[in-house]
């Protein structure tokens, strides 16, 4: 694949006078995020219980309904425990980021997100142990109990996160 092959999609979404400031892709690796501290034990418990349920239903052989009922729960447990890492790697391999002088365009698989440069939420840079960085764009989410920060979108696991931030800073706003 040549250098521009994955980025040609963005030409259809660019207007007159718009040009590319930066383009890149997420690096492989770094599949673990902060939420894994909670998700891994939860997914292990989910999978263990659903496998126990299935084995008990198969051994009792009283009702095939209970055996069939447990299959989706086992499948969800497998996805939560290991499948989501494969899905993340699969999507990262099909993700392209383009920053123009007017907008940020993110292609993830067949989905395309566009974010106008004039209305970007505040950003936070997270530098990972492997030297790559993630730029998280947050937004305030208001709830009954007050407000909290949420992640609107992110440019994740890129080698040159400072170049990404410089490109965003030089956008026409």
């Amino acid at each position: 694949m040549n250098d521009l092959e994955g980025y040609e999609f963005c030409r259809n979404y660019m207007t007159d006078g718009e040009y590319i400031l930066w383009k890149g892709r997420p690096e492989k690796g770094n599949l673990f995020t902060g939420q894994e501290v909670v998700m891994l034990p939860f997914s292990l418990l989910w999978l263990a219980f659903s496998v126990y349920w299935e084995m008990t239903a198969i051994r009792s052989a009283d009702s095939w309904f209970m055996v069939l009922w447990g299959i989706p729960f086992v499948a969800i447990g497998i996805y939560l425990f290991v499948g989501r890492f494969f899905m993340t790697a699969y999507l990262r391999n099909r993700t392209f980021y383009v920053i123009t002088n007017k907008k940020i365009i993110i292609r993830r698989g067949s989905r395309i997100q566009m974010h106008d440069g004039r209305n970007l939420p505040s950003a936070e840079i997270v530098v990972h142990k492997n030297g790559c960085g993630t730029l998280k764009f947050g937004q305030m989410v208001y709830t009954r109990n007050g407000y909290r920060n949420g992640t609107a979108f992110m440019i994740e696991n890129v080698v040159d996160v400072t170049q990404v931030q410089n490109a965003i800073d030089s956008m026409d706003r």
Side-chain angles (χ1 to χ4, degrees):
M1 181 160 93
N2 69 28
D3 191 40
L4 293 176
E5 192 173 316
Y7 300 97
E8 285 303 314
F9 75 94
C10 71
R11 298 285 178 207
N12 296 330
Y13 303 101
M14 293 172 62
T15 58
D16 291 335
E18 194 170 0
Y19 53 90
I20 295 174
L21 297 172
W22 180 87
K23 63 183 185 322
R25 301 182 67 179
E27 290 295 307
K28 293 178 172 45
N30 199 28
L31 296 174
F32 290 98
T33 62
Q35 68 183 2
E36 303 311 324
V37 173
V38 174
M39 281 302 294
L40 279 175
F42 172 78
S43 61
L44 181 61
L45 286 172
W46 180 289
L47 181 60
F49 180 76
S50 59
V51 167
Y52 172 76
W53 173 284
E54 248 337 87
M55 297 307 294
T56 304
I58 289 170
R59 277 194 221 119
S60 70
D62 290 340
S63 170
W64 283 101
F65 174 76
M66 296 308 270
V67 173
L68 293 175
W69 180 262
I71 291 173
F73 292 96
V74 171
I76 291 169
I78 292 170
Y79 175 77
L80 288 175
F81 193 62
V82 293
R84 62 195 172 96
F85 297 112
F86 290 107
M87 181 60 82
T88 299
Y90 173 81
L91 285 175
R92 277 192 184 166
N93 197 31
R94 286 153 184 76
T95 299
F96 300 90
Y97 303 119
V98 176
I99 300 174
T100 71
N101 60 322
K102 296 184 180 181
K103 65 174 95 59
I104 297 174
I105 306 170
I106 301 172
R107 178 177 141 197
R108 183 169 280 126
S110 61
R111 294 180 180 210
I112 297 175
Q113 294 178 326
M114 289 184 284
H115 304 278
D116 188 354
R118 294 174 299 206
N119 301 321
L120 289 178
S122 60
E124 170 190 3
I125 296 176
V126 178
V127 178
H128 308 294
K129 291 179 183 176
N130 65 357
C132 294
T134 296
L135 196 61
K136 294 181 180 182
F137 292 88
Q139 62 187 19
M140 297 302 259
V141 178
Y142 295 94
T143 62
R144 261 192 317 192
N145 301 330
Y147 64 89
R148 65 180 178 90
N149 262 340
T151 301
F153 68 96
M154 59 184 154
I155 298 175
E156 64 176 330
N157 209 33
V158 291
V159 174
D160 48 358
V161 72
T162 54
Q163 287 181 2
V164 174
Q165 182 59 48
N166 291 338
I168 290 169
D169 288 342
S170 63
M171 292 174 79
D172 299 338
R173 294 187 190 202

